[in-house]
């Protein structure tokens, strides 16, 4: 793409949405969480507050800038930093549970740090000691990483035109990304780009770097406040220290694929929990009995009772699969082999498949059991289904069933990539 074409492309993107929010430099260092129990306790405290404005943020498409600042300052965005670098190094079980707790309150907020944690894991696996020390410390201090991963207009979501080349002794990055969840709130943008050798790399770029532009042009009907819009790179100057070989994470067995997916799975499980809790609360407060019955309250309807029981069982099953997958993934993290990584990928695929189904079931039953009044915009109850459906499209669940079946029926190990 010529310089003129890049400029026109960038201008087209910039006029399609709103400017990115201003993210001021950190004034204070973030709290450092010490262990798993503290992480869970803080997540529950934050979730109670985040739930209060969830419907309004969704209705207004208001970016949760203040909420994300509180979220990261709480120390929760640094819980996967290894103990050797000063972090809590929590288990994957805990990371998944923290994500589900936050997602039950507001699934947009729950999803936003997904790629932050993914990039930290990639850094742990492939970064140099110097890169780990530098970026882990910045995250411990409160800096947030944002994703610039997927592009539109390519044959598949994992085809990348974004690249960096050596021009007159300078490394220059060019390209454009979409679905850049987390970048609008980030201090560091992590771009996925091809190097001159054709391999895929991660490039860590400070937000204020010249040539980097962020655009709030995300218009999906669900996950409205994730800010998953456009990031553009026009001759962004980088250094080798900012570059990490990402293909290396898939050249050999590593847990990075199921690690990425268990966070997405936890978002779906969280939505299911939130929708079930909302169903119980709404039905108890507002549902009226069917006129053929002689009962006094809607929550006495035997069909309603059966439906809530059915959804509860399925949500609890998803909870159990999420914890199980976390334990199996922790085993693969401690001892990554072809078999342990495959076991983790399949276990995570199972909870992703069930969690996705249950989130949509629970959010549908919320409206069905709530009755006609539950559809009023003032309640915002439709956001659970819209969020579950939108987030489920991150990668197709139909392929989870394929790989799960092939694993059990034909002893076929799943492929190694970020979507399994």
């Amino acid at each position: 793409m010529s310089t003129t074409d890049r400029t026109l492309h960038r201008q087209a993107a910039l006029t399609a949405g709103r400017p990115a929010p201003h993210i001021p430099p950190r004034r204070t260092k973030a709290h450092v969480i010490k262990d798993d129990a503290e992480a869970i306790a803080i997540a529950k405290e934050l979730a109670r507050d985040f739930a209060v404005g969830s419907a309004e943020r969704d209705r207004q498409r208001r970016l949760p800038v203040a909420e994300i600042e509180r979220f990261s300052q709480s120390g929760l965005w640094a819980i996967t930093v290894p103990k050797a670098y000063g972090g809590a190094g929590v288990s994957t079980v805990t990371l998944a549970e923290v994500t589900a707790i936050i997602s039950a309150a507001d699934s947009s907020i729950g999803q936003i740090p997904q790629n932050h944690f993914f990039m930290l894991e990639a850094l742990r696996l492939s970064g140099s000691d110097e890169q780990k020390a530098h970026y882990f410390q910045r995250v411990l201090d409160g800096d947030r990483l944002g994703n610039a991963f997927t592009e539109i207009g390519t044959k598949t979501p994992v085809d990348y035109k974004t690249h960096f080349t050596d021009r007159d002794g300078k490394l220059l990055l060019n390209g454009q990304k979409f679905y850049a969840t987390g970048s609008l709130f980030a201090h560091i943008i992590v771009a996925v780009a091809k190097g001159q050798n054709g391999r895929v790399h991660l490039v860590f770029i400070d937000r204020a770097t010249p040539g980097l532009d962020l655009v709030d042009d995300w218009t999906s009907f669900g996950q409205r406040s994730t800010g998953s819009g456009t990031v553009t790179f026009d001759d962004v100057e980088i250094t080798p220290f900012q570059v990490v070989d990402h293909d290396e994470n898939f050249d050999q067995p590593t847990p990075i694929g199921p690690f990425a997916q268990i966070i997405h799975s936890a978002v779906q499980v969280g939505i299911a929990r939130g929708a079930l809790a909302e169903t119980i609360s709404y039905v108890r407060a507002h549902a009226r009995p069917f006129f053929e019955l002689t009962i006094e309250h809607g929550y006495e309807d035997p069909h309603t009772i059966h439906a809530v029981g059915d959804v509860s069982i399925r949500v609890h099953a998803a909870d159990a699969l999420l914890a199980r997958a976390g334990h199996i993934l922790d085993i693969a993290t401690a001892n990554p082999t072809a078999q342990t990584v495959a076991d983790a990928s399949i276990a995570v695929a199972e909870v992703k498949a069930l969690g996705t189904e249950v989130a949509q079931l629970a959010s549908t039953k919320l409206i069905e059991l709530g009755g006609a009044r539950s559809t009023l915009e003032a309640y915002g109850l439709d956001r659970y289904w819209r969020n579950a459906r939108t987030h489920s499209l991150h990668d197709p669940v139909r392929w989870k069933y394929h790989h799960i079946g092939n694993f059990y029926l034909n002893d076929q190990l799943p492929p190694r990539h970020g979507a399994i």
Side-chain angles (χ1 to χ4, degrees), residues 8-149:
L8 290 174
H9 196 189
R10 172 186 168 209
Q11 289 174 343
L14 287 171
T15 57
R18 298 176 294 182
H22 173 62
I23 304 296
R26 286 182 293 100
R27 294 187 179 91
T28 59
K29 290 186 177 181
H31 171 68
V32 177
I33 290 173
K34 300 301 182 184
D35 55 32
D36 297 59
E38 185 184 5
I40 296 295
I42 290 176
K44 289 180 178 178
E45 178 185 348
L46 292 180
R48 284 192 290 269
D49 292 342
F50 292 165
V52 173
S54 179
E56 182 180 356
R57 284 190 296 273
D58 171 82
R59 187 161 46 248
Q60 298 176 354
R61 291 188 183 271
R62 179 166 63 80
L63 297 177
V65 177
E67 290 81 3
I68 292 299
E69 180 67 15
R70 185 181 173 196
F71 193 2
S72 60
Q73 283 294 110
S74 75
L76 283 174
W77 285 47
I79 56 175
T80 62
V81 172
K83 288 182 171 65
Y85 291 89
V90 302
S91 69
T92 313
V93 177
T94 294
L95 175 62
E97 181 61 18
V98 164
T99 302
I101 290 169
I102 299 295
S103 296
D106 187 323
S107 59
S108 286
I109 293 178
Q111 184 188 350
I112 285 167
Q114 189 274 337
N115 281 291
H116 167 95
F117 289 116
F118 176 80
M119 299 307 180
L120 286 180
E121 178 69 357
L123 188 66
R124 183 187 73 83
L125 292 168
S126 298
S128 68
D129 290 339
E130 294 78 10
Q131 289 171 322
K132 292 177 187 178
H134 175 77
Y135 288 112
F136 284 158
Q137 188 57 56
R138 289 190 62 175
V139 169
L140 284 168
D141 289 344
D143 281 350
R144 300 182 292 267
L145 308 181
N147 129 73
F149 207 114

Side-chain angles (χ1 to χ4, degrees), residues 350-396:
E350 290 177 15
V351 66
K352 180 69 182 300
L354 182 63
T356 297
E357 288 187 1
V358 174
Q360 292 176 46
L361 173 66
S363 55
T364 298
K365 288 295 181 180
L366 166 58
I367 304 301
E368 175 189 332
L369 302 179
R373 189 164 56 153
S374 69
T375 65
L376 295 180
E377 186 177 358
Y379 294 117
L381 300 183
D382 60 310
R383 72 187 187 279
Y384 290 98
W385 184 88
R386 289 187 287 100
N387 290 339
R389 180 73 273 184
T390 297
H391 179 262
S392 73
L393 302 176
H394 180 273
D395 49 87

Side-chain angles (χ1 to χ4, degrees), residues 80-407:
T80 62
V81 172
K83 288 182 171 65
Y85 291 89
V90 302
S91 69
T92 313
V93 177
T94 294
L95 175 62
E97 181 61 18
V98 164
T99 302
I101 290 169
I102 299 295
S103 296
D106 187 323
S107 59
S108 286
I109 293 178
Q111 184 188 350
I112 285 167
Q114 189 274 337
N115 281 291
H116 167 95
F117 289 116
F118 176 80
M119 299 307 180
L120 286 180
E121 178 69 357
L123 188 66
R124 183 187 73 83
L125 292 168
S126 298
S128 68
D129 290 339
E130 294 78 10
Q131 289 171 322
K132 292 177 187 178
H134 175 77
Y135 288 112
F136 284 158
Q137 188 57 56
R138 289 190 62 175
V139 169
L140 284 168
D141 289 344
D143 281 350
R144 300 182 292 267
L145 308 181
N147 129 73
F149 207 114
T150 306
E151 302 174 17
I152 53 177
T154 55
K155 181 179 179 181
T156 75
V158 294
D159 291 329
Y160 306 115
K161 294 181 180 179
T162 300
H163 64 283
F164 57 90
T165 55
D166 189 324
R167 191 189 312 160
D168 300 326
K170 296 180 179 180
L171 281 181
L172 300 177
L173 175 71
N174 284 282
Q176 188 173 70
K177 301 288 186 174
F178 196 60
Y179 307 114
T181 304
S183 286
L184 290 182
F185 313 93
H187 301 95
I188 302 168
I189 310 302
V190 185
V192 176
K194 285 189 174 181
Q196 295 176 103
N197 58 4
R199 290 177 66 81
V200 175
H201 297 77
L202 303 178
V203 186
F204 292 71
I205 310 160
D206 282 300
R207 182 188 186 95
T209 302
L212 188 160
D213 281 304
L214 302 165
V215 188
D216 178 16
D217 56 355
W218 177 242
T219 60
S220 171
F221 65 65
Q223 295 296 89
R224 288 176 170 178
S225 56
T226 57
S228 303
T230 298
V231 181
T232 302
F233 308 99
D234 286 335
D235 282 345
V236 174
E237 187 172 348
I238 61 175
T239 67
F241 182 79
Q242 298 169 257
V243 179
V244 174
D245 188 330
H246 191 44
D247 274 344
E248 183 178 310
N249 293 318
F250 302 102
D251 290 342
Q252 55 193 337
T254 74
I256 195 165
F259 180 88
Q261 283 296 302
I262 199 169
I263 305 173
H264 283 303
S265 302
V267 172
Q268 289 288 334
V269 172
I271 294 172
R273 290 182 190 176
L276 175 59
E278 193 81 71
T279 300
I280 293 169
S281 174
Y282 187 90
V283 168
R284 291 285 306 178
H286 301 296
R288 296 189 292 179
F290 187 54
F291 63 82
E292 291 184 9
L293 298 172
T294 59
I295 58 177
E296 292 295 320
H297 306 286
Y299 54 78
E300 297 173 294
D301 184 326
H303 296 294
T304 297
I305 293 171
H306 178 277
V308 170
D310 178 62
V311 174
S312 297
I313 291 169
R314 296 172 191 274
V315 171
H316 294 157
D319 285 341
L321 282 183
L322 185 65
R324 171 180 176 269
H327 285 297
I328 294 173
L329 182 48
D330 283 332
I331 292 171
T333 300
N335 179 33
T337 67
Q339 187 62 53
T340 61
V341 169
D343 290 342
S345 290
I346 294 301
V348 173
E350 290 177 15
V351 66
K352 180 69 182 300
L354 182 63
T356 297
E357 288 187 1
V358 174
Q360 292 176 46
L361 173 66
S363 55
T364 298
K365 288 295 181 180
L366 166 58
I367 304 301
E368 175 189 332
L369 302 179
R373 189 164 56 153
S374 69
T375 65
L376 295 180
E377 186 177 358
Y379 294 117
L381 300 183
D382 60 310
R383 72 187 187 279
Y384 290 98
W385 184 88
R386 289 187 287 100
N387 290 339
R389 180 73 273 184
T390 297
H391 179 262
S392 73
L393 302 176
H394 180 273
D395 49 87
V397 169
R398 59 187 177 273
W399 275 95
K400 310 295 185 189
Y401 290 101
H402 172 81
H403 291 308
I404 292 166
N406 229 3
F407 179 80

